[in-house]
mmCIF file of all heavy atoms in Angstrom:
data_model
loop_
_atom_site.group_PDB
_atom_site.id
_atom_site.type_symbol
_atom_site.label_atom_id
_atom_site.label_comp_id
_atom_site.label_asym_id
_atom_site.label_seq_id
_atom_site.Cartn_x
_atom_site.Cartn_y
_atom_site.Cartn_z
ATOM 1 N N GLY A 18 -14.966 -5.439 -3.693
ATOM 2 C CA GLY A 18 -14.018 -5.768 -2.681
ATOM 3 C C GLY A 18 -12.674 -5.523 -3.233
ATOM 4 O O GLY A 18 -12.441 -4.522 -4.020
ATOM 5 N N LEU A 24 -8.636 -6.776 -16.862
ATOM 6 C CA LEU A 24 -9.116 -5.646 -17.653
ATOM 7 C C LEU A 24 -8.556 -5.712 -19.035
ATOM 8 O O LEU A 24 -7.603 -6.466 -19.278
ATOM 9 C CB LEU A 24 -8.746 -4.296 -16.990
ATOM 10 C CG LEU A 24 -9.257 -3.964 -15.596
ATOM 11 C CD1 LEU A 24 -9.238 -2.484 -15.302
ATOM 12 C CD2 LEU A 24 -10.715 -4.455 -15.442
ATOM 13 N N ALA A 39 10.691 1.172 -25.284
ATOM 14 C CA ALA A 39 9.719 2.267 -25.146
ATOM 15 C C ALA A 39 8.519 1.709 -24.299
ATOM 16 O O ALA A 39 7.876 2.614 -23.665
ATOM 17 C CB ALA A 39 9.251 2.663 -26.446
ATOM 18 N N PRO A 82 1.901 9.752 -7.402
ATOM 19 C CA PRO A 82 2.517 8.629 -8.076
ATOM 20 C C PRO A 82 4.002 8.624 -8.123
ATOM 21 O O PRO A 82 4.657 7.583 -8.212
ATOM 22 C CB PRO A 82 1.897 8.712 -9.436
ATOM 23 C CG PRO A 82 1.531 10.163 -9.621
ATOM 24 C CD PRO A 82 1.136 10.652 -8.295
ATOM 25 N N VAL A 101 13.383 1.694 -12.789
ATOM 26 C CA VAL A 101 12.423 2.338 -13.709
ATOM 27 C C VAL A 101 12.428 3.794 -13.481
ATOM 28 O O VAL A 101 12.101 4.298 -12.328
ATOM 29 C CB VAL A 101 10.997 1.734 -13.480
ATOM 30 C CG1 VAL A 101 10.037 2.400 -14.509
ATOM 31 C CG2 VAL A 101 10.952 0.221 -13.663
ATOM 32 N N VAL A 107 5.378 6.892 -14.286
ATOM 33 C CA VAL A 107 4.195 7.695 -14.208
ATOM 34 C C VAL A 107 3.459 7.657 -15.566
ATOM 35 O O VAL A 107 2.252 7.522 -15.633
ATOM 36 C CB VAL A 107 4.438 9.151 -13.803
ATOM 37 C CG1 VAL A 107 3.192 10.064 -13.909
ATOM 38 C CG2 VAL A 107 5.047 9.172 -12.402
ATOM 39 N N ASP A 141 18.153 -16.133 -18.199
ATOM 40 C CA ASP A 141 18.742 -17.481 -17.904
ATOM 41 C C ASP A 141 19.862 -17.420 -16.914
ATOM 42 O O ASP A 141 21.010 -17.262 -17.248
ATOM 43 C CB ASP A 141 19.266 -18.080 -19.242
ATOM 44 C CG ASP A 141 18.152 -18.160 -20.274
ATOM 45 O OD1 ASP A 141 17.002 -18.243 -19.901
ATOM 46 O OD2 ASP A 141 18.467 -18.170 -21.476
ATOM 47 N N PHE A 153 8.936 -4.755 -16.604
ATOM 48 C CA PHE A 153 8.146 -3.839 -15.866
ATOM 49 C C PHE A 153 6.810 -3.881 -16.443
ATOM 50 O O PHE A 153 6.616 -3.616 -17.600
ATOM 51 C CB PHE A 153 8.793 -2.439 -15.919
ATOM 52 C CG PHE A 153 7.899 -1.337 -15.290
ATOM 53 C CD1 PHE A 153 7.571 -1.469 -13.959
ATOM 54 C CD2 PHE A 153 7.525 -0.273 -15.977
ATOM 55 C CE1 PHE A 153 6.748 -0.514 -13.362
ATOM 56 C CE2 PHE A 153 6.727 0.746 -15.439
ATOM 57 C CZ PHE A 153 6.326 0.622 -14.106
ATOM 58 N N GLY A 161 -12.844 -1.882 -4.123
ATOM 59 C CA GLY A 161 -13.556 -1.143 -3.045
ATOM 60 C C GLY A 161 -12.706 -1.269 -1.755
ATOM 61 O O GLY A 161 -11.489 -1.133 -1.809
ATOM 62 N N THR A 187 14.713 -7.007 4.249
ATOM 63 C CA THR A 187 14.077 -6.263 3.128
ATOM 64 C C THR A 187 12.701 -5.657 3.581
ATOM 65 O O THR A 187 11.855 -5.366 2.688
ATOM 66 C CB THR A 187 13.832 -7.212 1.956
ATOM 67 O OG1 THR A 187 13.123 -8.336 2.399
ATOM 68 C CG2 THR A 187 15.163 -7.615 1.350
ATOM 69 N N GLU A 282 -2.561 1.649 26.059
ATOM 70 C CA GLU A 282 -3.490 2.572 26.740
ATOM 71 C C GLU A 282 -3.140 4.054 26.513
ATOM 72 O O GLU A 282 -3.981 4.909 26.825
ATOM 73 C CB GLU A 282 -3.612 2.229 28.291
ATOM 74 C CG GLU A 282 -2.446 2.598 29.117
ATOM 75 C CD GLU A 282 -1.282 1.619 28.992
ATOM 76 O OE1 GLU A 282 -1.378 0.586 28.314
ATOM 77 O OE2 GLU A 282 -0.217 1.871 29.582
ATOM 78 N N ALA A 289 -5.127 1.461 10.697
ATOM 79 C CA ALA A 289 -4.157 0.996 9.755
ATOM 80 C C ALA A 289 -4.301 1.898 8.533
ATOM 81 O O ALA A 289 -5.377 2.319 8.188
ATOM 82 C CB ALA A 289 -4.537 -0.512 9.358
ATOM 83 N N PRO A 298 -10.008 1.926 10.619
ATOM 84 C CA PRO A 298 -9.943 2.026 12.051
ATOM 85 C C PRO A 298 -9.809 0.647 12.721
ATOM 86 O O PRO A 298 -10.381 -0.345 12.319
ATOM 87 C CB PRO A 298 -11.264 2.711 12.464
ATOM 88 C CG PRO A 298 -12.063 2.732 11.300
ATOM 89 C CD PRO A 298 -11.323 2.381 10.035
ATOM 90 N N GLY A 318 -13.407 6.543 15.434
ATOM 91 C CA GLY A 318 -13.138 7.682 16.354
ATOM 92 C C GLY A 318 -13.188 8.988 15.608
ATOM 93 O O GLY A 318 -12.945 9.052 14.351
#
Side-chain angles (χ1 to χ4, degrees):
L24 298 199
V101 179
V107 175
D141 300 336
F153 173 57
T187 54
E282 72 283 356

